[in-house]
Amino acid sequence: YNADKAENKAFLYFARHFKKHQLPVPEIFASDEKNDIYLQEDLGENTLFSYIETDNRNGDFSGRLEGYYKQVLKWLPEFQVKAAQDINYEYCYPRKRFDRQSMLWDLNYFKYYFLKLADIPFDEEKLENDFNTFMDFLSEAPDHYFLYRDFQSRNIMIKDEKPYFIDFQGGRQGALQYDIASLLYDAKANIPQDIRDKFLEIYLEQLQNYIPELNKHKFREYYYGFVLIRIMQAMGAYGYRGFFEGKKHFLQSIPFAVANLKQLLDNQNLPVHIPELTYALKAITHSQKLQSISAGQKHLTVELNSFSYKRGIPVDTSGHGGGFVFDCRPLPNPGRYEAYKDLTGNDTEVINFLNDKPEVHKFLDHTWALTRQAVENYLERGFDHLTVNFGCTGGQHRSVYMANFIANRIKEMFDVSIDLRHREQNF
């Protein structure tokens, strides 16, 4: 269900169009666009990013990761070139071309939500002039291809050892360079530069199968410009979510984006004169405020999940393993009563029902004692992640109640980050 009819229209059209071209996207089984609902294929829970977190913990890309990326790089031109030949861009959301207006939105997003909120100095008029110069340069690149827009590891699912692609509803017409820049400079993926260079060459070789006249040198000239605007777009998003909305986990991506920016500035010369923008970008890489975010990265995050045993225990994407899985099925089940069937453990009626049961409080005491001991120990030892899972039959009542209760207890007692997820409720 999604109340945004225009977004639904774009997603459903692209999904059916790509499926027609035999691309690995979720199948749409049925849709009722009038009522904003559709039924689509479930591709599981494993994203490419979840494998990156597991396999790339020490900065080394494993053979398995390389294999996944090579498959992804093979599919990308299929979206960009082959499927683009008969695509109808009138369905695009929110804009049908990555043109100057789209670029300006991204650049202003970066200026207002990152530069200003991170206290980076700049001259407003000179920066606007550089924005125009930069957009003029990017607009020279051929842009009659499909631009996926958010082509990154969290939007690539791995199922049966093969990649599947989601979240393409923001696609539009644009330049080839943008999507490969998004993939290879995906901030928290933290791809080593030599691997980035290797993957770019693999992509260009694949692309030549679709565009035999491709000029690799010319492609690279524009490529690094699109790398830069993608990094700035991502920084704008991190600034908005992290600085403005106060969602701290978005700030955790900033050090990776700054590292990408520094690597770009140190090793690539853009064929366009943008002195004020360059000054601001270099100031980012030397900002003490942003460095303090990086210094504070070693912070304990407690991930709490509620889930249904029917769908299995949540996948550990932290790479650490361990933690707890508590089975809530011995507790009284509100779902057996008609009054609570359509409610969840977030609702007052269900909370009151469970609060009245002595066996629930006994269960809470035991689980809290174990969790508290672990949090205290992890903080003493400088660990950065603990997982605590609560499962029940449907993942709707008891497990949600327990996860919420323990999350609140932890917040009251410890200075840690809480990542609370109710899997079956989709939040």
Side-chain angles (χ1 to χ4, degrees), residues 149-180:
R149 177 60 170 169
D150 202 14
F151 196 77
Q152 44 100 351
S153 58
R154 290 174 181 80
N155 290 336
I156 299 169
M157 311 297 296
I158 303 297
K159 181 181 179 183
D160 300 328
E161 297 300 305
K162 297 177 182 178
Y164 290 79
F165 302 88
I166 62 173
D167 279 6
F168 37 71
Q169 63 270 18
R172 63 201 72 179
Q173 195 170 30
L176 293 164
Q177 289 88 345
Y178 190 95
D179 288 333
I180 186 64

Side-chain angles (χ1 to χ4, degrees), residues 343-356:
L343 302 178
T344 75
N346 293 306
D347 292 307
T348 302
E349 296 89 339
V350 173
I351 294 170
N352 291 338
F353 172 91
L354 292 169
N355 279 344
D356 287 340

Side-chain angles (χ1 to χ4, degrees), residues 316-378:
D316 172 34
T317 60
S318 71
H320 297 296
F324 299 104
V325 180
F326 294 114
D327 187 351
C328 303
R329 288 175 293 184
L331 300 178
N333 184 5
R336 293 181 179 273
Y337 300 89
E338 193 66 34
Y340 308 118
K341 279 188 176 180
D342 294 329
L343 302 178
T344 75
N346 293 306
D347 292 307
T348 302
E349 296 89 339
V350 173
I351 294 170
N352 291 338
F353 172 91
L354 292 169
N355 279 344
D356 287 340
K357 303 295 186 287
E359 55 265 57
V360 171
H361 289 278
K362 185 176 180 180
F363 190 87
L364 283 169
D365 289 342
H366 290 312
T367 54
W368 170 238
L370 288 168
T371 303
R372 176 179 175 177
Q373 180 183 351
V375 173
E376 289 173 345
N377 182 268
Y378 277 34

Side-chain angles (χ1 to χ4, degrees), residues 1-2 4-19 24-31 33 36-43 79 87-88 90-94 146 148 155 165-171:
Y1 169 79
N2 177 23
D4 192 325
K5 292 183 182 296
E7 187 174 26
N8 289 342
K9 187 177 180 181
F11 176 77
L12 292 171
Y13 170 74
F14 285 137
R16 289 164 175 150
H17 179 80
F18 295 143
K19 184 63 73 172
V25 297
E27 184 173 351
I28 305 300
F29 297 115
S31 65
E33 294 184 52
D36 308 323
I37 57 175
Y38 52 90
L39 185 65
Q40 71 175 63
E41 180 182 4
D42 183 352
L43 295 171
F79 285 93
I87 207 164
N88 185 350
E90 294 300 322
Y91 285 90
C92 289
Y93 168 92
F146 177 75
Y148 196 106
N155 290 336
F165 302 88
I166 62 173
D167 279 6
F168 37 71
Q169 63 270 18

Side-chain angles (χ1 to χ4, degrees), residues 226-349:
F226 282 98
V227 168
L228 179 55
I229 196 171
R230 178 61 181 182
I231 290 174
M232 290 192 289
Q233 185 273 335
M235 284 181 162
Y238 303 149
Y240 178 74
R241 298 294 189 186
F243 292 132
F244 183 71
E245 292 190 333
K247 297 178 180 178
K248 292 183 179 180
H249 62 282
F250 282 96
L251 297 179
Q252 295 172 5
S253 295
I254 289 178
F256 296 99
V258 172
N260 284 344
L261 179 61
K262 187 176 189 306
Q263 199 285 329
L264 183 68
L265 294 174
D266 289 347
N267 295 281
Q268 302 296 333
N269 292 316
L270 292 175
V272 58
H273 187 59
I274 43 176
E276 188 64 20
L277 178 55
T278 301
Y279 168 78
L281 296 173
K282 288 182 177 179
I284 289 172
T285 65
H286 295 99
S287 165
Q288 290 187 349
K289 179 174 181 175
L290 298 179
Q291 288 173 5
S292 69
I293 293 174
S294 181
Q297 283 286 289
K298 199 68 172 179
H299 185 73
L300 177 61
T301 296
V302 182
E303 176 188 331
L304 298 108
N305 299 295
S306 69
F307 69 94
S308 165
Y309 275 100
K310 293 177 182 178
R311 293 185 57 206
I313 297 170
V315 175
D316 172 34
T317 60
S318 71
H320 297 296
F324 299 104
V325 180
F326 294 114
D327 187 351
C328 303
R329 288 175 293 184
L331 300 178
N333 184 5
R336 293 181 179 273
Y337 300 89
E338 193 66 34
Y340 308 118
K341 279 188 176 180
D342 294 329
L343 302 178
T344 75
N346 293 306
D347 292 307
T348 302
E349 296 89 339

